[in-house]
């Protein structure tokens, strides 16, 4: 099939986890929690946390490098036309982290910007990057999701400390004139509900707090989440977004071979699959080994499932995510014949 506008296809995939693995037992030794509670309530057994001195750009550079290698691209100017980094944990409040990542990868003076959509960030980044390609503004874009949540977790808060992990994943999106090529993003659905912004929030550090006359409270720098409300909204919003997208793409739910949902809680993934009428075993799960890695979650799950041979070329893949904002999004594609690095 050919069309007037180019399409955007995934042509490379890379991932990186910092070496420090933290087990539930290690957390139970310092927090009022147990391996049993964490495993049964979340499905998480361990997560990776970056060592002190390691920041989000360090993980993003590693994953970006691997994605470029997977796509057969050099670390050189001209390889990509833009770098988009989805993250909740930028190296600094200002400037964005993507320009540093582009520079350290040796990609030249390309367009580079961050996307802030918390756990939906990677799908928002895929959407903007693919729109640049479809509009003819870019031929190839490096799209990265990278997080160091360990730097924003309140060590005294058991409800968040046991859930979140660090990591990075990246894809290369490339223009193609063949809209039927495997890897082409067939459709995108995005949404938000800012009325519920307080459910997931770092209260401090921004202009809302800086504009107040009162001295900031130190704990306001930490990430907070109202878990139960977030759980319910996650299942509903990912379900609605997935349904709306598949109607537009023209797929039946039963045709989805792999549901790659944001890895927030294994119970959310199972509820979502049940609600959509997709057999539970089609839901990709790697949260047991990485926890909730927010913007890195979807590409890490893809890399894991591709490396395990679960995702095979031509299979129908539904990506769906939900996060702070509130935000959510879904993307559909058939899996490309690529080797993840
Ligand atoms: N260890 C032991 N007990 C814990 C605990 C922990 N780490 N964290 C919370 N608890 C306790 C609570 O204090 C509560 O105790 P209480 O009944 O005495 O008040 C009890 O466990 C149940 O808490 P609740 O929050 O109702 O549990 P839950 O079943 O909803 O699970 C989450 C909590 C956070 C795992 C779950 O709500 C969740 O996964 N939410 C969504 C997270 C998400 O999607 N995030 C991503 C969006 S970006």
């Amino acid at each position: 099939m050919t069309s007037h506008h180019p399409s955007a296809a995934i042509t490379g995939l890379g991932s990186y986890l910092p070496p420090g693995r933290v087990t539930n037992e290690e957390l139970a030794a310092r927090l009022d929690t147990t391996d049993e509670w964490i495993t049964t309530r979340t499905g998480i057994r361990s997560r990776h946390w970056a060592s002190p001195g390691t920041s989000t750009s360090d993980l993003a550079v590693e994953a970006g490098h691997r994605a470029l290698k997977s796509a057969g691209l050099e670390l050189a100017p001209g390889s990509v036309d833009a770098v988009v980094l989805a993250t909740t944990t930028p190296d600094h409040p200002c400037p964005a982290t993507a320009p540093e990542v582009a520079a350290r990868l040796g990609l030249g003076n390309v367009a580079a910007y961050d996307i802030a959509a918390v756990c939906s960030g990677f799908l928002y980044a895929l959407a903007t990057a693919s729109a640049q390609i479809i509009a003819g503004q870019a031929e190839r874009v490096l799209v990265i999701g990278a997080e160091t949540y360990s730097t924003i977790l309140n060590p005294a808060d058991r409800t968040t400390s046991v859930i979140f992990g660090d990591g990075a994943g990246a894809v290369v999106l490339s223009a193609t004139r063949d809209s039927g090529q495997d890897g082409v993003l067939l459709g995108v659905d995005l949404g938000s509900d800012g009325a519920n912004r307080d459910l997931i929030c770092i209260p401090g550090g921004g202009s809302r707090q800086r504009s107040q006359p009162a001295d900031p409270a130190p704990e306001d720098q930490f990430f907070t989440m109202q878990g139960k409300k977030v759980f319910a909204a996650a299942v509903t919003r990912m379900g609605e977004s997935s349904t709306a997208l598949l109607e537009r793409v023209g797929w039946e739910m039963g045709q989805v071979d792999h549901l790659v949902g944001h890895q927030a809680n294994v119970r959310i993934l199972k509820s979502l699959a049940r609600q959509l009428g997709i057999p539970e075993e089609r839901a990709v799960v790697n949260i047991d080994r990485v926890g909730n890695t927010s913007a890195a979650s979807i590409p890490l799950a893809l890399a894991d499932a591709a490396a395990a041979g679960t995702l095979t070329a031509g299979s129908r893949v539904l990506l769906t995510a939900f996060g702070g904002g509130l935000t959510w999004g879904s993307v559909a594609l058939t899996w490309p014949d690529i080797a993840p690095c």
Side-chain angles (χ1 to χ4, degrees), residues 36 46 93 113 151 155 189 224 239 277 290 311 334 339:
E36 210 244 325
S46 63
Y113 55 96
T151 63
D189 180 79
T224 63
V290 298
L311 299 180
T334 58

Side-chain angles (χ1 to χ4, degrees), residues 18-335:
R21 184 170 163 269
V22 181
T23 62
N24 291 349
E25 286 80 6
E26 287 168 67
L27 293 177
R30 64 169 181 78
L31 283 164
D32 181 17
T33 189
T34 59
D35 170 46
E36 210 244 325
W37 191 95
I38 303 168
T39 307
T40 55
R41 302 311 292 163
T42 72
I44 301 166
R45 293 182 181 277
S46 63
R47 72 290 289 146
H48 290 250
W49 281 355
S51 52
T54 300
S55 72
T56 293
S57 67
D58 299 329
L59 308 189
V61 164
E62 288 290 342
H65 186 161
R66 292 173 187 203
L68 291 164
K69 190 171 158 208
S70 163
L73 296 169
E74 306 277 318
L75 300 186
S79 282
V80 298
D81 306 303
V83 173
V84 187
L85 173 66
T87 189
T88 318
T89 51
D91 282 17
H92 308 281
C94 167
T97 304
E100 173 173 340
V101 172
R104 284 170 58 188
L105 286 170
L107 297 172
N109 301 118
V110 292
Y113 55 96
D114 289 2
I115 294 276
V118 199
C119 299
S120 315
F122 187 75
L123 297 188
Y124 267 73
L126 273 187
T128 59
S130 70
Q132 281 191 275
I133 288 173
I134 293 163
Q137 295 171 0
E139 279 284 309
R140 278 185 300 273
V141 184
L142 177 60
V143 183
I144 309 172
E147 300 281 16
T148 46
Y149 261 64
S150 59
T151 63
I152 56 168
L153 292 172
N154 181 343
D157 181 0
R158 67 177 180 176
T159 69
T160 50
S161 287
V162 303
I163 290 178
F164 291 90
D166 300 343
V171 301
V172 173
L173 274 188
S174 302
T176 173
R177 288 279 161 191
D178 177 5
S179 61
Q181 180 184 319
D182 284 335
V184 163
L185 307 188
L186 299 171
V188 172
D189 180 79
L190 300 177
S192 77
D193 168 22
N196 278 308
R197 60 193 174 277
D198 290 347
L199 297 188
I200 293 169
C201 182
I202 300 175
S207 63
R208 176 61 65 204
Q209 186 186 58
R210 286 168 194 262
S211 67
Q212 315 264 336
D215 284 340
E219 65 272 18
D220 282 354
Q221 306 306 314
F222 292 127
F223 177 91
T224 63
M225 178 173 74
Q226 297 178 39
K228 234 184 178 37
K229 287 182 183 164
V230 168
F231 190 112
V235 175
T236 306
R237 295 302 191 180
M238 286 193 283
E240 289 170 354
S241 175
S242 298
T243 305
L245 174 67
L246 259 54
E247 262 172 37
R248 286 211 296 276
V249 169
W251 291 2
E252 300 289 331
M253 247 346 135
Q255 293 179 302
V256 172
D257 296 311
H258 304 287
L259 172 64
V260 183
H262 169 49
Q263 306 284 308
N265 186 320
V266 78
R267 289 158 49 222
I268 291 180
L269 294 170
K270 290 192 170 166
S271 303
L272 175 66
R274 226 175 293 129
Q275 182 183 303
L276 291 175
I278 295 175
E280 266 181 31
E281 59 277 12
R282 294 190 194 169
V284 165
V285 175
N286 74 335
I287 191 174
D288 50 318
R289 283 156 286 142
V290 298
N292 180 343
T293 56
S294 196
S297 173
I298 296 270
L300 280 174
L302 288 175
D304 203 70
T310 307
L311 299 180
T312 50
S315 55
R316 293 180 192 234
V317 181
L318 169 61
L319 314 177
T320 188
F322 173 87
L326 301 173
T327 56
W328 53 87
S330 305
V331 170
L333 71 157
T334 58
W335 193 246

